[in-house]
Amino acid sequence: MLVAHPDAGVRDRIRRELASRGFAVLTAAPEEARYLVESEGVEVVLTSAPLPDPPEDVDGAAWVCLGCRADGMDDAVPADPDLDALADRIRLHVAYRRRWSAHRRRETRKTGSLTAAQRRLLPRPGEVPGVRFGAVYAPALEAGGDFYDVVPLAHGSFGVLVADTVGHDLGASYVTGALKSITALAVARDPHPAAVLGLLNEGLRPVLGDGRYVTALFARVDVVRGLLTLASAGHPSPLWVPLNGSPRFLEARGDVLGVYPRIDTPELRVPAPPGSRLYAFSDGLVEAVARSVGERQRVAGILESVAEEVRSYPVELAVAEIASRLVGEGEGQTDDIVLLGVEV
């Protein structure tokens, strides 16, 4: 612990008394207290000078006022305290902080395991035979509620899913496991986008809690026929970059997943010659761009412009560059972000 007092005699007396009761004690003038807390890692600070901006992190030191007001501090004791009672108070603070730190470490390990498991659900470029794609996945917390998947289908086709569970807490992150397994079952039964979303809705309704829902977009790319078929369940419109033509958003509308027993998700079809690209993303990307430019209305034009600039890049590099330019200019991420780009 640290005793911070302007009177060296008082500091030394308290140090001796507390040391005789089993404490390792440092002493300093009050103005040196913060530096020593950071450099020495002390658990309790006994100070005669209240801090104008006391720390709030319970994992840090406990700040105890010695004969001063306790506003914003952790505790207060008289200027001339009973040293046995003071020692007991200090032991309580130390025990509390150690238990809390141990709890935080356990929770961090659990969250780290969840994060690793969640990332293993997401395919990486090169892992899906015959599909060229790039992806950026950035949860706001250690684990998130956004999800994407790229799945091979029959006859030279492949499917693309991007989904966003409302909220970005750990509860939302557990839904991603259900999305992975239900999607695999859905495309095996019927790979048409509207049918896939309908089966996802059926599977997610028992999984989602009250007030939760999922937005999702599923696209089927038929490479042989050169056709893109798309359906949306309340998800942001994806950006389409045709081989010959300007980037444009594919406006598809549909009901969100997990709320209604049956949903309406009309399909949209567009020609998809080789070399065309689809960029699908979660709402977190739109919010990040809106913060950086100050006007959400300008987001669509910015995405179109950047996608045009990186048209010649390999799709994996193009996705990384788009995310870097748009999200990198923001003022801090507050929502999960997924950006997935696929090339026909």
Side-chain angles (χ1 to χ4, degrees):
M1 68 168 297
L2 172 67
V3 176
H5 197 282
D7 188 318
V10 174
R11 295 198 301 262
D12 190 55
R13 179 177 63 84
I14 295 176
R15 179 190 62 77
R16 290 196 308 270
E17 293 289 346
L18 291 177
S20 70
R21 290 165 173 81
F23 293 96
V25 185
L26 298 173
T27 63
E31 61 270 17
E32 300 173 321
R34 277 192 185 274
Y35 170 76
L36 286 173
V37 168
E38 295 173 359
S39 62
E40 300 296 333
V42 300
E43 295 178 296
V44 177
V45 180
L46 184 64
T47 176
S48 62
L51 297 174
D53 183 24
E56 298 180 355
D57 185 4
V58 75
D59 282 329
W63 291 74
V64 180
C65 274
L66 181 64
C68 56
R69 291 175 58 86
D71 292 346
M73 305 284 275
D74 295 293
D75 201 354
V77 296
D80 188 18
D82 177 274
L83 290 171
D84 287 328
L86 176 61
D88 289 340
R89 295 274 278 274
I90 292 171
R91 290 189 186 98
L92 286 173
H93 283 292
V94 170
Y96 171 67
R97 271 164 166 70
R98 289 180 179 177
R99 286 197 300 270
W100 177 257
S101 295
H103 170 74
R104 286 281 293 269
R105 288 193 297 270
R106 288 194 299 270
E107 292 304 309
T108 298
R109 285 195 296 269
K110 292 178 184 178
T111 303
S113 298
L114 174 61
T115 302
Q118 188 177 48
R119 288 186 179 274
R120 285 195 292 270
L121 297 175
L122 306 174
R124 292 176 294 180
E127 292 183 344
V128 183
V131 184
R132 295 181 295 274
F133 74 94
V136 169
Y137 169 74
L141 301 175
E142 289 86 351
D146 284 8
F147 179 75
Y148 73 86
D149 207 355
V150 180
V151 292
L153 304 174
H155 310 299
S157 299
F158 63 89
V160 174
L161 173 73
V162 174
D164 183 353
T165 305
V166 62
H168 45 82
D169 56 12
L170 294 182
S173 70
Y174 285 104
V175 178
T176 59
L179 282 166
K180 182 74 173 184
S181 58
I182 299 171
T183 300
L185 294 172
V187 299
R189 287 179 55 181
D190 189 340
H192 292 88
V196 170
L197 293 179
L199 291 169
L200 281 173
N201 183 64
E202 291 179 20
L204 287 175
R205 289 195 73 211
V207 175
L208 297 172
D210 292 340
R212 286 205 184 278
Y213 62 88
V214 174
T215 70
L217 178 144
F218 189 82
R220 180 184 181 184
V221 181
D222 189 331
V223 178
V224 175
R225 297 171 58 194
L227 180 67
L228 170 74
T229 307
L230 172 77
S232 175
H235 202 74
S237 299
L239 183 65
W240 177 242
V241 184
L243 177 64
N244 297 306
S246 300
R248 69 180 189 277
F249 286 90
L250 301 180
E251 302 291 341
R253 296 288 183 267
D255 300 322
V256 298
L257 305 179
V259 177
Y260 311 108
R262 296 183 179 276
I263 58 172
D264 181 26
T265 53
E267 292 184 345
L268 175 67
R269 295 176 178 84
V270 296
S276 302
R277 291 179 178 176
L278 180 74
Y279 293 101
F281 45 87
S282 63
D283 194 55
L285 178 71
V286 179
E287 293 174 0
V289 180
R291 284 194 304 277
S292 68
V293 301
E295 295 180 20
R296 192 180 177 99
Q297 293 83 349
R298 294 175 53 198
V299 170
I302 292 172
L303 285 170
E304 289 173 338
S305 175
V306 176
E308 179 65 47
E309 290 180 38
V310 300
R311 183 191 286 267
S312 63
Y313 292 20
V315 66
E316 185 176 354
L317 181 58
V319 169
E321 182 66 15
I322 291 172
S324 175
R325 291 202 207 176
L326 300 184
V327 181
E329 297 177 3
E331 297 179 356
Q333 181 182 342
T334 59
D335 197 3
D336 304 328
I337 292 173
V338 160
L339 172 62
L340 176 67
V342 296
E343 184 170 307
V344 180

